[in-house]
Amino acid sequence: MLFYEEPIRRRKSFPVELKRDLHKAQGGRCMYCGRRPGIDLMDVDHKNPMAKGGSDQKRNLQLLCRSCNTRKGATTDRQFRTKFKSIGVPQTQTSPAKSIPQSKFEAVAKTTTTKKAKQVRTRRQRADDWFF
């Protein structure tokens, strides 16, 4: 049996000057939570991910703190903001109006996980009903 090894995908490294420009333009703040963790603790993020047709143009880039960047994943900026709209994420601003407490992110994540678990259980019940 042969195994196929996928090539290791490395994250793209952006020029330091670009990161500094974004940091200055955003006032040193994360675009979602508003924290100011310092430029070395922030990641360059694509508003529209490369996987969904985004580009490396400056207008498609933003700086996020690592926790927000991890939460966003490969979703678009609009999808992420819509998901967290109920907890006060500004919809069309260049910088957040106020910081979002981390507990709010955790609360939304818990409800999302609970909904997914219920959907899985419902699908399993339907499958079980089919056989009996």
Side-chain angles (χ1 to χ4, degrees):
M1 190 157 95
L2 297 174
F3 293 98
Y4 172 74
E5 287 188 35
E6 288 191 30
I8 297 172
R9 290 182 3 183
R10 300 193 189 278
R11 290 193 170 269
K12 181 173 182 168
S13 176
F14 290 95
V16 176
E17 298 81 27
L18 173 67
K19 198 169 179 179
R20 280 191 201 130
D21 289 346
L22 290 170
H23 190 261
K24 184 176 180 182
Q26 293 176 202
R29 304 178 91 187
C30 170
M31 291 302 288
Y32 294 133
C33 68
R35 288 187 286 175
R36 297 175 191 244
I39 194 168
D40 55 331
L41 298 175
M42 297 180 85
D43 297 324
V44 177
D45 175 67
H46 291 89
K47 294 176 186 177
N48 186 24
M50 298 290 283
K52 295 187 178 182
S55 69
D56 282 335
Q57 293 180 348
K58 191 173 179 179
R59 68 173 188 244
N60 190 41
L61 301 174
Q62 62 186 348
L63 279 182
L64 302 179
C65 67
R66 295 217 169 112
S67 58
C68 286
N69 192 26
T70 302
R71 283 186 190 100
K72 181 178 175 280
T75 61
T76 65
D77 185 59
R78 176 174 275 182
Q79 289 169 335
F80 185 80
R81 289 179 185 275
T82 301
K83 180 178 180 181
F84 291 102
K85 180 179 180 181
S86 62
I87 57 173
V89 176
Q91 290 297 303
T92 52
Q93 280 181 216
T94 56
S95 64
K98 62 179 181 174
S99 297
I100 303 168
Q102 297 304 307
S103 60
K104 296 285 188 175
F105 282 118
E106 292 165 5
V108 170
K110 283 180 186 176
T111 58
T112 304
T113 304
T114 305
K115 287 178 186 177
K116 287 181 182 177
K118 286 179 183 176
Q119 290 172 351
V120 169
R121 274 188 250 127
T122 304
R123 278 190 240 129
R124 284 184 187 152
Q125 288 171 348
R126 286 188 204 137
D128 291 342
D129 293 342
W130 177 259
F131 292 110
F132 294 106

